[in-house]
Amino acid sequence: MNKVFRNLLLVQLSVILAGFVGLGWALRLSAQQWGPFLLGALVIVLLSGLVLRGMLLRPISRIGKAAEKFAQGDFRGRLPHIRRDELGDLADSLNYLSDELQKKIAEVTKDRTEVKAILSSMEEGVIVIGRDERIILLNDPVYRMLDLRSRDTIGKSYWEILRNEEINSSLKEALLEKKTVRKEIHLLTPADSQFLMQISPVVLEKGDLTGVVAVFHDVTEFNKLAQMRSDFVANVSHELKTPLTTIKGFVETLKEGALNDPQKAERFLDFIKTHTERLELLVNDLLSLASIESKEVEMRWGGVRIPEVVQTAMAICKESIRQKKLTVEISFPEDLPPVRADAGKLEQVFLNLLDNAVKFTPAGGRITVSAVQEGGYVRTDFRDTGVGIAADHLPRIFERFYRVDKARNREQGGTGLGLSIVKHIVEAHEGKVSVQSEPEKGSQFSVYLPLAA
Amino acid sequence: MLPQKISELKKRLIEYATLVENMIDRSIKGLVGKNEDLFYEVMKRDEPRANNFDREIDEMCTETIAQFDPLARDLRMVLMILKMNKDLERMADHAVNISESGLFLIARPMLRPLDLVPRMAETASAMLKDSISAFIQEDSDTARKVLEKDKIVDDLGDRILQEVTAFMKEEHDGIKRSLHLMRIAHNLERIADLSTNICEEVIYIVEGKDIKHHHGSEI
């Protein structure tokens, strides 16, 4: 790159040398005079050449080298500021250029890392696809949501990477027709899940459509909740309707003449009373569930001794235990620490669990209640030798109105809400409840409650 | 022109494979989750589309050979796409078979050995997915790894056969259910076999080497 200047320098030096020869000619130098004259001229020319090389060629090549380094992204080198001429100005400009470039690059890098951080911390999956069907951008959640098999996705065609036919045909449609596509996608692998997918055309450069951006929003939980809510309404209506129909039937029979038969009337009124009580029980359970759920009731926290609460609950069940001739074993360690609880609510939990144990244990069976400290919790176990629960029902028994055996449970006078209430109260205590069971062998419910501070 | 045509063909085949992968997933999930909607999706919606893909890819292959006279690797690619197209078409049929038997089974009490079927299905479906990945990346190493999994599926198939026969000996009213379950296991076995075909075809595209029928000896 310094060849032009070097050649110019050589030409210039030759011209000066020629000038000297011309001068010698004009002075009509004698043969003896030509020798020293030419030697002197040569010395002058070479000296001036050296000076010019130092002043022009060296700095120019140094500037060139620095610029090359800048281009490679190495901004450490600075050009020394020593001269106040055109080359000095050029060096200054280059230094300035280097500073600005460095700043701009830092800005762009920062923008890019910011965008990347924002995109990967989003809950939604985002994919940007260019007009050439290649993936421009794909954020982290997408890998998990769509179960992608390859980590190397950027620059690949979307149909190589996203292996879901429904998504791919929607993307194709959006790219071809430049339109927005909204769809709910039901994925089967890796887990059953539902996504709301919105694909919108994007303009990345001026004017023309340059691709689409697809956003995936996980609606699995939302759909599940909506389903649970509508199930709940259906269940409540059904549970309320059953006793009401019975009551209505008896009232009508009474009106149609049974009232005149005192014996029949008495029996019918008894039925009506039983069913009204059932209704009351159900409404009470619903109300207490609703109040725990809404967290409106104030909890009366205190240090509670589990053996005392178990005794109170046991006293209530005493009569039915005696009737079924059940053996009850209660054992607590001496040094069992108190738990942080609302004694009244906890009594409701234990009563429900005991009541279930009594109901589902055949006559002559055994119920065992024990407690033990486990880390920051006390675990209270209610074990029975009852009918047990089959494995496929276990995950669902804490759901409202879930019944393992519908006919039997209603016969036993349950509302289908007991375990649901247990779970909600225990959770309000920041504890948890779990169950283990084997059909025909018995069940064990364990309640974990945090220790009192 | 030829490279474009071939990449278009490749794209079509991958789209087809994606549809078939999803069909198999749906038929299995239908069985495990007792969801008959998924079966109907496979039989009524997906199967006609699979047939369209099959016809279209056949035609595209013929066209490519007629127009461009491809050579060497290009020729291998077109020929193998033609074969894979047939493999996929068969697999789509297997998904439909599974759905039919699934429809029969989910309407009735379940037989005991069902826990083996999902395991078999999982392996078979992973084999298909990996074989297609091998094709996408033209990666013969991935293809070779798939070949090794075939044995797992075969073994599971054998175990299901044993359990089902034992069941038929004890309970005579479950014979029809047992046969349907066996049919599902058999179709899964075929899906795994066809996945190994695809892998052999990928190896042939990449290496120009035919490894069919002598697994283990030199691969």
Side-chain angles (χ1 to χ4, degrees), chain B:
Chain B
M1 279 304 275
L2 180 61
Q4 264 129 299
K5 193 81 186 171
I6 284 183
S7 73
E8 215 174 287
L9 249 175
K10 234 184 123 174
K11 176 184 172 186
R12 267 265 168 268
L13 192 85
I14 292 168
E15 283 175 348
Y16 187 17
T18 308
L19 173 68
V20 175
E21 277 174 24
N22 293 171
M23 282 172 79
I24 293 169
D25 285 345
R26 271 196 270 275
S27 64
I28 297 305
K29 277 286 155 129
L31 184 67
V32 177
K34 300 190 182 178
N35 183 348
E36 60 172 37
D37 292 349
L38 292 175
F39 293 142
Y40 285 116
E41 275 175 25
V42 172
M43 297 188 297
K44 301 271 184 264
R45 187 192 67 186
D46 297 342
E47 143 93 323
R49 285 167 67 197
N51 291 340
N52 282 342
F53 266 116
D54 175 40
R55 268 194 296 275
E56 201 187 336
I57 292 171
D58 258 1
E59 257 167 49
M60 280 171 80
C61 285
T62 322
E63 253 175 49
T64 312
I65 295 175
Q67 276 184 359
F68 298 102
D69 227 346
L71 289 171
R73 193 183 170 117
D74 291 337
L75 179 63
R76 293 205 296 272
M77 178 65 96
V78 179
L79 287 178
M80 290 307 114
I81 286 179
L82 203 57
K83 282 193 177 185
M84 287 182 205
N85 188 34
K86 282 288 158 267
D87 296 335
L88 289 172
E89 194 263 339
R90 294 294 315 141
M91 284 198 231
D93 287 347
H94 291 312
V96 171
N97 290 349
I98 295 174
S99 298
E100 283 168 4
S101 289
L103 261 182
F104 180 89
L105 281 176
I106 62 165
R108 289 159 182 80
M110 272 298 167
L111 290 173
R112 271 236 164 262
L114 190 62
D115 55 322
L116 289 178
V117 173
R119 264 170 66 195
M120 193 175 174
E122 208 175 290
T123 322
S125 131
M127 282 174 71
L128 169 61
K129 285 180 179 145
D130 291 342
S131 71
I132 300 303
S133 297
F135 172 67
I136 292 172
Q137 289 148 17
E138 297 186 24
D139 172 4
S140 51
D141 292 340
T142 310
R144 281 196 164 82
K145 277 186 203 128
V146 179
L147 296 178
E148 290 159 17
K149 282 197 195 160
D150 196 30
K151 186 150 177 3
I152 305 175
V153 176
D154 287 348
D155 287 349
L156 282 167
D158 289 344
R159 281 177 61 191
I160 292 174
L161 178 65
Q162 277 166 17
E163 289 197 23
V164 167
T165 0
F167 182 83
M168 285 200 283
K169 276 181 194 156
E170 291 164 22
E171 300 241 5
H172 297 288
D173 62 338
I175 287 183
K176 208 163 172 195
R177 277 177 290 158
S178 305
L179 290 176
H180 275 287
L181 195 67
M182 211 46 240
R183 184 175 180 227
I184 290 177
H186 178 68
N187 278 285
L188 287 173
E189 221 175 304
R190 289 301 302 149
I191 288 172
D193 289 345
L194 290 166
S195 305
T196 63
N197 280 10
I198 292 182
C199 290
E200 288 160 355
E201 282 140 19
V202 170
I203 294 173
Y204 183 66
I205 294 173
V206 180
E207 299 175 1
K209 203 156 54 172
D210 182 10
I211 60 153
K212 278 190 180 169
H213 313 304
H214 32 76
H215 286 186
S217 52
E218 58 186 281
I219 54 169

Side-chain angles (χ1 to χ4, degrees), chain A residues 236-247:
Chain A
V236 169
S237 325
H238 175 76
E239 296 291 330
L240 290 173
K241 209 172 165 225
T242 320
L244 270 179
T245 323
T246 322
I247 294 170

Side-chain angles (χ1 to χ4, degrees), chain A residues 106-135:
Chain A
E107 257 172 53
V108 171
T109 320
K110 187 168 156 268
D111 279 358
R112 275 184 53 172
T113 20
E114 262 176 23
V115 168
K116 225 179 146 196
I118 291 169
L119 278 169
S120 55
S121 62
M122 273 173 77
E123 221 174 284
E124 282 81 7
V126 179
I127 309 174
V128 183
I129 295 166
R131 198 171 34 183
D132 58 356
E133 303 188 339
R134 290 187 189 282
I135 295 173

Side-chain angles (χ1 to χ4, degrees), chain A residues 313-349:
Chain A
M314 200 58 89
I316 300 173
C317 298
K318 219 162 87 189
E319 184 52 30
S320 39
I321 290 174
R322 198 183 54 79
Q323 273 176 14
K324 284 186 100 172
K325 297 193 171 56
L326 300 172
T327 323
V328 176
E329 260 175 52
I330 302 179
S331 65
F332 296 113
E334 289 285 323
D335 55 346
L336 192 68
V339 294
R340 177 178 178 270
D342 175 328
K345 293 274 180 302
L346 196 56
E347 189 189 313
Q348 206 179 343
V349 168

Side-chain angles (χ1 to χ4, degrees), chain A residues 23 28 38 51 58 73 75 97 99-100 121 126 140 187-188 227 244 276 281 305 308 315 373 385 403 427-428:
Chain A
L23 188 66
R28 294 168 197 280
L38 274 183
V51 169
R58 279 255 182 75
F75 297 106
L97 173 78
D99 289 345
E100 286 301 301
S121 62
V126 179
D140 287 348
L187 277 191
L188 299 169
Q227 182 62 38
L244 270 179
T276 320
L281 208 64
R305 304 206 162 269
E308 284 168 21
Q373 183 183 347
T385 56
R403 286 192 167 101
E427 277 171 4

Side-chain angles (χ1 to χ4, degrees), chain A residues 376-415:
Chain A
Y377 292 84
V378 170
R379 189 186 88 203
T380 317
D381 295 328
F382 294 80
R383 199 160 57 237
D384 64 51
T385 56
V387 293
I389 306 157
D392 49 337
H393 293 295
L394 278 181
R396 300 196 57 193
I397 55 167
F398 291 103
E399 286 174 24
R400 288 173 286 204
F401 295 118
Y402 189 82
R403 286 192 167 101
V404 174
D405 182 340
K406 294 193 166 73
R408 183 165 56 197
N409 184 284
R410 222 173 262 127
E411 214 174 90
Q412 309 260 25
T415 57

Side-chain angles (χ1 to χ4, degrees), chain A residues 188-415:
Chain A
L188 299 169
T189 49
D192 225 327
S193 50
Q194 283 122 41
F195 294 95
L196 204 60
M197 172 181 69
Q198 160 127 11
I199 308 174
S200 330
V202 275
V203 178
L204 293 175
E205 288 149 36
K206 275 168 265 167
D208 217 9
L209 167 105
T210 44
V212 294
V213 54
V215 179
F216 296 85
H217 184 74
D218 192 337
V219 290
T220 318
E221 275 309 303
F222 179 82
N223 285 358
K224 214 188 271 171
L225 279 176
Q227 182 62 38
M228 270 170 72
R229 208 167 299 140
S230 75
D231 283 355
F232 179 66
V233 172
N235 277 325
V236 169
S237 325
H238 175 76
E239 296 291 330
L240 290 173
K241 209 172 165 225
T242 320
L244 270 179
T245 323
T246 322
I247 294 170
K248 197 175 158 214
F250 284 122
V251 170
E252 272 165 10
T253 327
L254 282 172
K255 278 191 81 175
E256 277 161 18
L259 201 54
N260 300 325
D261 181 342
Q263 234 184 335
K264 260 192 193 164
E266 180 76 16
R267 226 177 63 221
F268 287 179
L269 282 172
D270 280 344
F271 277 127
I272 292 176
K273 184 163 175 274
T274 323
H275 282 97
T276 320
E277 278 164 359
R278 238 189 86 69
L279 267 181
E280 198 186 7
L281 208 64
L282 186 66
V283 172
N284 282 342
D285 271 2
L286 277 173
L287 285 176
S288 77
L289 196 58
S291 74
I292 305 160
E293 262 197 330
S294 66
K295 299 188 173 74
E296 264 169 26
V297 271
E298 211 162 295
M299 303 287 272
R300 292 200 198 90
W301 296 115
V304 175
R305 304 206 162 269
I306 287 190
E308 284 168 21
V309 187
V310 170
Q311 284 305 337
T312 336
M314 200 58 89
I316 300 173
C317 298
K318 219 162 87 189
E319 184 52 30
S320 39
I321 290 174
R322 198 183 54 79
Q323 273 176 14
K324 284 186 100 172
K325 297 193 171 56
L326 300 172
T327 323
V328 176
E329 260 175 52
I330 302 179
S331 65
F332 296 113
E334 289 285 323
D335 55 346
L336 192 68
V339 294
R340 177 178 178 270
D342 175 328
K345 293 274 180 302
L346 196 56
E347 189 189 313
Q348 206 179 343
V349 168
F350 289 174
L351 190 60
N352 269 321
L353 290 175
L354 268 177
D355 190 46
N356 275 347
V358 173
K359 262 188 220 157
F360 295 108
T361 306
R366 176 196 301 269
I367 296 172
T368 318
V369 185
S370 60
V372 63
Q373 183 183 347
E374 267 190 26
Y377 292 84
V378 170
R379 189 186 88 203
T380 317
D381 295 328
F382 294 80
R383 199 160 57 237
D384 64 51
T385 56
V387 293
I389 306 157
D392 49 337
H393 293 295
L394 278 181
R396 300 196 57 193
I397 55 167
F398 291 103
E399 286 174 24
R400 288 173 286 204
F401 295 118
Y402 189 82
R403 286 192 167 101
V404 174
D405 182 340
K406 294 193 166 73
R408 183 165 56 197
N409 184 284
R410 222 173 262 127
E411 214 174 90
Q412 309 260 25
T415 57

